[in-house]
Amino acid sequence: MKINLNDFFTEAEWNKVMSFSENRETPFQLILSDVIRQKYQELREHLPYAKIYYAVKSNPAPEVITLLNELGSHFDVASIYELRKLLSLGVAPERLSCGNTIKKTNHIREFYESGVRLFVTDSEADLRNVAQAAPGAKIFVRILTEGVLTADWPLSRKFGCQPDMAFDLLVLSKKLGLEPYGISFHVGSQQRDIAAWDAAIAKVKYIFDWVKEEDIKLKCINMGGGFPAHYLEKTNDLETYSREITRYLQEDFEDELPEIIIEPGRSLVADSGVLVSEVVLIARKSRTALERWVYTDVGKFNGLMETLNESIKYPIYTTKNGLEEKTILAGPTCDSVDTLYEIHQYELPLNLAAGDRLYWLSTGAYTSSYSAVEFNGFPPLKTYVI
Ligand SMILES: *Cc1c(COP(=O)(O)O)cnc(C)c1O
């Protein structure tokens, strides 16, 4: 089951990882900024008509934000804390949108007073708060989407509303002196079924037409994230996603294509990251057990949150070779939730030993930002960007 490194990194990139990691205490996350640069250019190339708003939550490292800012990216911001960070790094407020539908009124005000004019909502109460604290702002209404079963990290149900509510909110936003600007959606993160965009775009088109009855002309579709990173579970490549999504847009909107926004997080940064860890302990639970427990110095609380329900299956690399056997992987803390993979059959070499390194690939997104402050005293995951 040994993975092929060439599927993930060039030889030069891997050499960089190895030489940086040597003699450095684990665990840590290493980000190769060239990979992010390359992913950004790929997105620009395949979806040239789309404005990119990087979803900051996926990896808020200052170096990552600065790099994307230099590349011309916009940013999808979830909280005033991310907002303050971005502003302190010199990102212009015109490049930001407030994408969280759940926010306090005084936080909305801070966004507005900082110069942010794009807000996403999905409820009447939030919309009224926006009208009060951000007068005249541009409003996206977020709709519910399907595709829960085919996304490895679904974001549905908690966010978005049905088309009838979207209609009401757009009409109300106009009454409240806001600018009804567009519809947003998110088909679920690491969405492996491209048809999820087809269904969502068709809904958007329906709402665009419906609100014309109220003299509202929407200008923009915010298609969120959902684009793939390279994990064990197979996906199509970005080119295929882009081609299909472009076709859906053209079919529904023909030559009246509105402004298009995308908010990639995972697909921009995941593949740039390697989580370098060390085996702490290897144990068997009985004399005759056919499987080993391998405990590593990374776990759910310092980077591997998305192993919850074994949702994301990271490619794991070891320099050890030889006969392999089924392994249950677990983290270092005193909580049994901190078991990483028990159902999915990872196989690792029998000669793997305590002190050996395990390299978790495609871990640039949703790892360091999920790391706990001090569960069991373990510090948050360190990030290095090279
Ligand atoms: C998390 C999030 C994203 C990023 O999604 P990915 O699947 O990581 O690309 C984009 N938009 C919003 C509103 C989000 O909450």
Side-chain angles (χ1 to χ4, degrees):
M1 213 221 40
K2 186 138 180 155
I3 59 156
N4 187 358
L5 269 183
N6 298 326
D7 293 343
F8 296 88
F9 288 110
T10 64
E11 204 176 319
E13 284 165 345
W14 189 250
N15 287 340
K16 265 196 214 171
V17 172
M18 292 305 263
S19 67
F20 185 89
S21 307
E22 211 179 4
N23 299 324
R24 199 173 294 267
E25 197 186 347
T26 64
F28 57 88
Q29 177 190 46
L30 180 57
I31 299 287
L32 299 179
S33 49
D34 282 348
V35 176
I36 299 179
R37 190 172 284 121
Q38 193 185 312
K39 294 280 172 192
Y40 185 86
Q41 304 303 3
E42 259 174 51
L43 265 177
R44 298 256 1 106
E45 183 187 323
H46 293 308
L47 293 168
Y49 53 85
K51 240 188 207 173
I52 297 174
Y53 280 69
Y54 171 58
V56 175
K57 71 176 190 285
S58 60
N59 190 323
E63 298 91 334
V64 171
I65 291 165
T66 301
L67 169 65
L68 287 168
N69 190 35
E70 284 165 7
L71 291 172
S73 184
H74 295 63
F75 296 86
D76 170 47
V77 188
S79 69
I80 53 166
Y81 312 103
E82 281 185 356
L83 170 68
R84 290 171 190 169
K85 182 172 191 171
L86 288 154
L87 295 175
S88 77
L89 290 168
V91 182
E94 306 82 60
R95 289 224 211 148
L96 309 180
S97 78
C98 174
N100 197 341
T101 56
I102 305 156
K103 46 203 179 289
K104 297 177 177 174
T105 307
N106 60 326
H107 290 196
I108 298 169
R109 189 168 295 116
E110 183 168 335
F111 270 97
Y112 185 74
E113 283 171 359
S114 303
V116 178
R117 292 294 176 269
L118 283 178
F119 291 83
V120 183
T121 192
D122 62 3
S123 69
E124 182 178 336
D126 181 63
L127 181 63
R128 288 189 183 277
N129 291 342
V130 173
Q132 187 199 327
K138 292 177 172 158
I139 296 296
F140 283 99
V141 172
R142 180 158 169 184
I143 56 168
L144 284 161
T145 58
E146 281 100 54
V148 188
L149 296 177
T150 48
D152 288 330
W153 198 260
L155 295 169
S156 23
R157 293 203 345 106
K158 180 170 174 185
F159 308 102
C161 60
Q162 297 288 3
D164 59 342
M165 176 64 77
F167 176 89
D168 291 348
L169 293 176
L170 289 163
V171 172
L172 179 61
S173 67
K174 191 177 161 191
K175 273 199 198 117
L176 293 172
L178 296 159
E179 182 182 350
Y181 195 67
I183 301 292
S184 73
F185 62 80
H186 195 303
V187 292
S189 200
Q190 190 71 7
Q191 176 56 265
R192 286 179 284 106
D193 182 7
I194 305 178
W197 276 269
D198 194 9
I201 290 166
K203 257 192 204 173
V204 172
K205 168 66 174 160
Y206 167 74
I207 298 168
F208 264 61
D209 288 344
W210 191 10
V211 296
K212 281 182 192 157
E213 290 173 10
E214 297 291 323
D215 237 1
I216 294 174
K217 177 135 179 47
L218 296 175
K219 297 201 181 83
C220 185
I221 308 174
N222 178 341
M223 301 200 294
F227 303 98
H230 191 173
Y231 302 121
L232 289 187
E233 194 105 39
K234 197 172 158 51
T235 63
N236 282 289
D237 57 17
L238 183 68
E239 192 180 345
T240 310
Y241 276 75
S242 309
R243 192 184 61 232
E244 290 300 295
I245 291 168
T246 303
R247 187 167 64 78
Y248 304 145
L249 285 168
Q250 284 168 347
E251 274 174 10
D252 280 330
F253 288 89
E254 297 171 8
D255 27 335
E256 281 188 74
L257 193 66
E259 198 186 311
I260 302 289
I261 282 176
I262 54 172
E263 299 174 328
R266 193 182 297 280
S267 63
L268 262 184
V269 296
D271 296 357
S272 74
V274 179
L275 224 155
V276 183
S277 75
E278 189 179 294
V279 175
V280 178
L281 185 74
I282 298 179
R284 284 179 201 273
K285 300 288 186 190
S286 82
R287 289 177 184 171
T288 54
L290 296 170
E291 61 208 5
R292 290 166 304 169
W293 283 71
V294 170
Y295 303 92
T296 76
D297 60 5
V298 281
K300 281 224 165 51
F301 300 101
N302 59 351
L304 297 175
M305 175 63 106
E306 288 199 322
T307 59
L308 206 67
N309 302 321
E310 308 196 11
S311 301
I312 299 292
K313 295 176 192 78
Y314 297 105
I316 302 174
Y317 178 75
T318 157
T319 54
K320 285 278 177 77
N321 287 305
L323 205 60
E324 294 177 339
E325 145 185 89
K326 165 145 199 285
T327 305
I328 298 172
L329 281 156
T333 65
C334 304
D335 189 329
S336 55
V337 168
D338 196 11
T339 304
L340 305 172
Y341 299 105
E342 193 168 2
I343 297 161
H344 183 76
Q345 302 259 328
Y346 276 89
E347 300 207 328
L348 292 172
L350 269 167
N351 61 358
L352 189 75
D356 286 348
R357 287 190 162 192
L358 292 178
Y359 299 86
W360 303 69
L361 309 188
S362 308
T363 44
Y366 304 114
T367 46
S368 41
S369 54
Y370 268 136
S371 196
V373 176
E374 65 163 14
F375 184 53
N376 270 187
F378 289 104
L381 187 67
K382 274 198 290 284
T383 297
Y384 301 104
V385 182
I386 58 173

